[in-house]
Amino acid sequence: MSNTSRNEERTEANEAQIAVHWKEEQYFQPSQSFIDQANLRDPDVRTRFGEDNFPDCFREYADLLTWSKPYHTVLDTSHPPFWKWFTGGELNACYNCVDRHLEHYRNKAAFIFVAEPESDAPVAMTYQELYVRVNEMAALLRDFCGLKKGDRVTLHLPMTLDLPITMLACARLGVIHSQVFGGFSGQSCGSRIQDSGSRVLISTDAYWRSGKLIDHKVNADIAVQAAEALGQHVDQVLIWQRYPGKYSSPTPMVEGRDHFVNELLKQYAGRRVEPEAMDAEAPLFLMYSSGTTGKPKGCQHRTGGYLAYVAGTSKYIEDIHPTDTYWCMADIGWITGHSYIVYGPLLLAATSVIYEGTPTFPDVRRPWRIAERLGVNIFHTSPTAVRALRRAGPDEPSQCQQRFKHMTTVGEPIEPSAWRWYYEEVGKSQAVIVDTWWQTENGGFLCSTIPALDAMKPGSAGPALPGIYPVIYDDDGNEVAKGAGQAGNLCIRNPWPGIMQTVWGNDQRFIDTYYKRYCKNPDSTDWRDWPYMSGDGAMQAADGYFRILGRLDDVINVSGHRLGTKEIESACMTVPEVAEAAVVPVSDEVKGKVPEVYVSLTPDARDPAAAARKVVQACESIIGKIARPEHVYVVQDMPKTRSGKIMRRVLSAISNGRDVGDITTLANGSVVEDIRTQVDSARAAARKP
Ligand code: WTA
């Protein structure tokens, strides 16, 4: 290639356009038996939810709710980007999830709780029983804690029934719940207590995780202290007991401040509390989410729009019917759990499974045994879990009689090879799969196939949901056309009912993070001037399906070519011995950045060096020499968050010789030093003549 043509190539390569090189995957069709029973079979749905009918199309979702006062306006855009949905309307979230089902479903299970110890039988809680418990808890929160409409309460609860009971009791009173993922440290909980201004913390003494009864009360003490240091005083700490009547923590209760919920509840036995009629725009909950910089943002979700959106998407994308037994393996401490373990399934009167422990305890067959035993027919999990279960027990699902009609993945891109295993082994080639793309900020799914109407394509999240109008912009705000083979910033042109209201206490951060970059006219009150920026890189294939590359800051710029880390990881995953792969950018004097690859292998892989060579070959042959990893490190275990996501930040720090920073949120912090030693000695060996 001559110098001139090389330069031309450089100038043509727009900074925002990310070259993507993956091959198109074959389609999979939903089975006729799924289609025959599906909630959404109308092929005109996307027209009905088209721009000509926006925003009125979302009345259909609002109609799935029971309103105590009807709304007068579907969408109020007078103060962008602070959209208002279903204004004038009033409703109560708890009433919609519980009370209104009593007439038809009183003694049907709302939840089935599965404790981690397998010797404890599953516990079914009926809608009637949930109604009783939620009312008693609401009475306690109101009369003992003095909580009222608009107050914030921080919950730091694990996956037991106490969590949804507490959330729904808050919702009944119009109290804003802020559930912090149970696996987070007391310190993280404390900063969220402070940010939300909670004076009550609701926690628990202990819970089971990987065979251990973990002391959780200790985190409550740390959290209160941390909040205090930041200037927020906590008056009351309510502690649920994992085994009512027995205190399972070695950490002492603090006199005057700490109270056992189950003891207090005795005073409220049989009490009923009227559900508060809440304005559609009243905040329902906060969910903290990490940004690239700065402290976590409190994503503030509204009552009416949020509930309408999760009801609609649960019904049409998750295909939930009241007769279904639905199991989402996420944690309620994440947005997925709020929307698709608690609110969505309950709004539709389904039975939702809550599992306390790790999916691989006591062995990797556990999830399939649970599914078989409970008759779960809708299953929902993450690609990370799929990869982990596949790695540890590729043949296990075939040993059980689970029969799924529908399966979901969420949270990360799923490699086509993992998708196929999920489809063939877990779903037994019968279940339809939806790969749902969305974020904490979004309330509910934004991109996914409609299960009975669209063909599945492994690795692609599918087209936009009805009523969602995405666009991909390059760095200059030009649209990247579908089928162009280029990626860019995935944005949504329109507001939708599930979008968060604001960052709690920080309107400016809301504007700056999501709207500033591509706003066409800050003075305009026309929603068309205010696209929402997701911060994800994506490309749209000619068929309209979106393939998500991951966060834009995960992109590696090699010699002026941008490569999605996910794309390289997909390539690594095509090597049969590779169970998990993570790619991080490493600074390189000549090329800017080069990728380094970390892989863990399947248990039957015998020759790590050979596997590493195959990884290099796979990157070169699938993407090109440009993607050739500088190093491939075969590690025993990846550093992971408690929710199972690989911490690429930590690997990147190791690769770049930086301090790994705070690793307290890791599930397996001890692997970090091992990996660093391994990387250092590999480097030293490479330097030897
Ligand atoms: C990523 C989880 C690919 C994405 C609901 C997004 C996905 C971030 C998918 C949000 C998917 C989520 N395919 N990537 N189906 N779903 N992501 O806030 O990068 O925990 O921005 O919400 O996860 O993560 P969050």
Side-chain angles (χ1 to χ4, degrees):
M1 196 192 286
S2 73
N3 265 340
T4 350
S5 66
R6 197 178 296 146
N7 286 342
E8 273 165 10
E9 209 176 72
R10 285 260 164 76
T11 38
E12 266 170 32
N14 185 313
E15 272 296 295
Q17 294 179 337
I18 304 152
V20 268
H21 312 268
W22 48 53
K23 74 177 202 318
E24 277 297 305
E25 294 288 329
Q26 109 194 47
Y27 292 111
F28 288 71
Q29 299 298 335
S31 68
Q32 193 57 46
S33 58
F34 178 82
I35 296 171
D36 289 344
Q37 60 80 61
N39 280 326
L40 181 50
R41 279 174 281 179
D42 174 7
D44 293 333
V45 63
R46 286 203 174 85
T47 316
R48 207 162 73 235
F49 278 78
E51 232 171 303
D52 292 346
N53 299 322
F54 180 86
D56 279 357
C57 51
F58 281 114
R59 286 180 189 278
E60 239 179 81
Y61 285 10
D63 285 349
L64 297 171
L65 306 175
T66 305
W67 297 78
S68 50
K69 184 175 160 213
Y71 57 90
H72 52 69
T73 306
V74 176
L75 172 65
D76 173 352
T77 66
S78 59
H79 186 35
F82 304 96
W83 321 111
K84 293 193 176 73
W85 281 93
F86 308 120
T87 48
E90 288 180 2
L91 76 172
N92 182 277
C94 180
Y95 177 87
N96 272 275
C97 288
V98 185
D99 304 43
R100 67 171 176 154
H101 300 317
L102 295 179
E103 188 185 344
H104 295 298
Y105 302 111
R106 186 179 300 275
N107 279 311
K108 172 188 183 307
F111 290 115
I112 302 176
F113 171 65
V114 180
E116 192 188 73
E118 220 166 350
S119 48
D120 295 4
V123 177
M125 177 168 286
T126 63
Y127 276 93
Q128 169 71 16
E129 184 62 16
L130 182 62
Y131 171 77
V132 170
R133 304 275 185 109
V134 164
N135 271 279
E136 292 173 351
M137 184 63 182
L140 186 161
L141 294 176
R142 185 189 61 191
D143 300 344
F144 185 78
C145 302
L147 291 166
K148 54 180 190 324
K149 248 184 198 184
D151 290 345
R152 281 82 52 210
V153 172
T154 299
L155 284 49
H156 193 201
L157 291 167
M159 285 287 284
T160 66
L161 291 169
D162 306 334
L163 173 48
I165 289 171
T166 309
M167 287 164 65
L168 291 164
C170 290
R172 198 166 186 86
L173 299 172
V175 169
I176 303 168
H177 59 75
S178 171
Q179 153 71 7
V180 177
F181 170 56
F184 273 148
S185 64
Q187 199 74 32
S188 325
C189 178
S191 66
R192 288 157 173 80
I193 291 175
Q194 186 273 330
D195 189 81
S196 61
S198 307
R199 57 173 189 79
V200 176
L201 168 65
I202 306 177
S203 188
T204 198
D205 57 351
Y207 63 97
W208 289 100
R209 196 82 195 160
S210 302
K212 287 195 211 61
L213 190 59
I214 293 177
D215 175 16
H216 193 57
K217 166 62 168 66
V218 65
N219 293 319
D221 292 4
I222 299 169
V224 170
Q225 232 172 39
E228 200 83 46
L230 294 166
Q232 175 65 38
H233 180 69
V234 175
D235 306 328
Q236 289 172 321
V237 177
L238 302 187
I239 300 292
W240 287 92
Q241 289 175 330
R242 175 65 181 79
Y243 295 99
K246 176 176 164 220
Y247 187 44
S248 304
S249 161
T251 308
M253 296 286 278
V254 174
E255 184 69 36
R257 185 197 73 183
D258 301 352
H259 311 273
F260 289 124
V261 177
N262 29 294
E263 271 174 22
L264 293 175
L265 276 173
K266 291 177 188 154
Q267 303 163 40
Y268 300 95
R271 289 279 288 277
R272 299 286 184 265
V273 173
E274 267 307 295
E276 286 283 338
M278 299 302 292
D279 191 278
E281 278 292 304
L284 176 62
F285 66 86
L286 306 180
M287 170 65 66
Y288 283 85
S289 171
S290 323
T292 41
T293 53
K295 64 173 183 174
K297 308 178 275 262
C299 297
Q300 177 185 320
H301 284 282
R302 54 172 62 80
T303 305
Y306 170 81
L307 292 175
Y309 200 68
V310 298
T313 52
S314 295
K315 180 159 183 179
Y316 299 126
I317 305 299
E318 290 294 276
D319 198 52
I320 295 178
H321 301 61
T323 43
D324 288 326
T325 303
Y326 166 91
W327 182 19
C328 170
M329 255 186 10
D331 194 288
I332 296 175
W334 307 118
I335 190 71
T336 298
H338 274 48
S339 299
Y340 299 113
I341 297 178
V342 179
Y343 286 114
L346 258 53
L347 286 168
L348 299 175
T351 300
S352 183
V353 175
I354 295 181
Y355 173 56
E356 176 178 34
T358 34
T360 50
F361 186 86
D363 56 67
V364 286
R365 200 181 287 179
R366 185 77 192 274
W368 322 127
R369 277 200 300 276
I370 293 174
E372 178 184 307
R373 173 167 182 156
L374 304 183
V376 171
N377 65 341
I378 306 181
F379 184 67
H380 185 155
T381 192
S382 64
T384 299
V386 171
R387 289 191 289 263
L389 290 165
R390 176 193 185 200
R391 176 186 178 188
D395 302 323
E396 293 297 323
S398 61
Q399 307 301 310
C400 290
Q401 298 300 316
Q402 82 279 5
R403 279 262 163 266
F404 299 138
K405 68 165 185 176
H406 182 294
M407 307 193 299
T408 301
T409 82
V410 64
E412 315 151 64
I414 182 163
E415 307 71 21
S417 63
W419 192 98
R420 277 191 215 95
W421 179 81
Y422 194 35
Y423 183 76
E424 285 158 14
E425 301 300 322
V426 180
K428 305 186 172 174
S429 303
Q430 296 293 314
V432 70
I433 295 183
V434 292
D435 178 346
T436 57
W437 172 78
W438 61 300
Q439 311 169 293
T440 303
E441 292 86 340
N442 307 154
F445 308 144
L446 294 181
C447 289
S448 163
T449 49
I450 296 174
L453 293 175
D454 301 323
M456 300 162 255
K457 194 163 78 173
S460 288
L465 256 64
I468 303 296
Y469 319 132
V471 60
I472 296 177
Y473 286 127
D474 68 15
D475 278 351
D476 305 320
N478 302 311
E479 277 190 47
V480 178
K482 69 177 176 186
Q486 300 287 335
N489 302 344
L490 179 53
C491 299
I492 309 294
R493 289 195 291 116
N494 61 310
W496 65 97
I499 178 73
M500 67 195 271
Q501 292 177 293
T502 185
V503 173
W504 175 258
N506 198 342
D507 286 351
Q508 194 57 45
R509 192 168 175 199
F510 179 62
I511 300 173
D512 291 349
T513 311
Y514 308 104
Y515 291 97
K516 202 170 166 186
R517 176 105 183 252
Y518 292 116
C519 179
K520 294 176 190 155
N521 173 8
D523 299 322
S524 165
T525 57
D526 184 342
W527 59 261
R528 290 168 191 80
D529 290 320
W530 291 88
Y532 165 85
M533 185 181 83
S534 73
D536 277 341
M539 65 169 284
Q540 191 179 23
D543 60 10
Y545 282 39
F546 290 90
R547 188 150 184 176
I548 314 296
L549 290 146
R551 303 296 303 170
L552 274 168
D553 28 35
D554 281 344
V555 163
I556 308 182
N557 188 328
V558 185
S559 305
H561 294 263
R562 286 188 172 189
L563 299 171
T565 50
K566 276 289 159 193
E567 184 193 359
I568 305 175
E569 288 169 10
S570 273
C572 302
M573 294 293 294
T574 62
V575 176
E577 292 89 331
V578 171
E580 288 178 308
V583 172
V584 297
V586 181
S587 297
D588 181 280
E589 276 181 18
V590 182
K591 299 176 184 166
K593 295 270 198 266
V594 290
E596 280 199 345
V597 172
Y598 290 81
V599 292
S600 64
L601 303 182
T602 56
D604 49 349
R606 291 282 164 263
D607 186 349
R613 280 197 299 277
K614 283 195 202 169
V615 166
V616 173
Q617 277 162 12
C619 293
E620 286 194 1
S621 64
I622 294 171
I623 306 172
K625 282 216 159 56
I626 189 80
R628 184 192 167 92
E630 199 65 11
H631 282 285
V632 178
Y633 299 110
V634 178
V635 298
Q636 285 304 315
D637 202 358
M638 298 282 191
K640 294 209 183 106
T641 63
R642 300 218 167 92
S643 68
K645 287 198 186 182
I646 298 174
M647 286 286 272
R648 291 177 177 75
R649 173 178 71 70
V650 171
L651 296 172
S652 165
I654 295 174
S655 273
N656 289 285
R658 290 195 312 263
D659 181 48
V660 293
D662 179 14
I663 53 166
T664 53
T665 57
L666 286 191
N668 54 352
S670 63
V671 306
V672 172
E673 261 327 294
D674 298 350
I675 297 175
R676 188 188 286 287
T677 310
Q678 184 183 349
V679 168
D680 288 349
S681 55
R683 290 253 169 87
R687 272 198 298 273
K688 280 195 191 121

